[in-house]
């Protein structure tokens, strides 16, 4: 959803979970992928999008 331009709050609202849960999950994903910034995560998600 980040790759589609949704904000963290928009993602939380769309799937019915807390903003903090989305933020923490993004942080963990960035750690695991060794991506320092959210913009890097967004770029990664766009480049690896599956249709």
């Amino acid at each position: 959803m980040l790759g589609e331009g949704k904000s963290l709050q928009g993602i939380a609202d769309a799937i019915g979970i807390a903003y903090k849960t989305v933020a923490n999950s993004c942080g963990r994903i960035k750690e695991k992928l060794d991506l320092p910034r959210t913009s890097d995560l967004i770029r990664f998600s766009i480049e690896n999008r599956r249709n």
Side-chain angles (χ1 to χ4, degrees):
M1 292 179 165
L2 277 176
E4 296 171 356
K6 290 198 185 288
S7 66
L8 296 181
Q9 186 63 57
I11 294 169
D13 293 342
I15 59 177
I17 60 175
Y19 167 86
K20 188 73 174 169
T21 303
V22 177
N24 287 341
S25 296
C26 285
R28 297 280 302 169
I29 292 167
K30 287 189 302 186
E31 270 182 39
K32 289 177 184 252
L33 295 174
D34 195 29
L35 300 171
R37 295 174 298 278
T38 300
S39 58
D40 296 321
L41 180 58
I42 293 168
R43 182 174 27 82
F44 179 89
S45 69
I46 292 169
E47 290 173 353
N48 293 283
R49 180 177 291 158
R50 302 225 169 121
N51 294 324

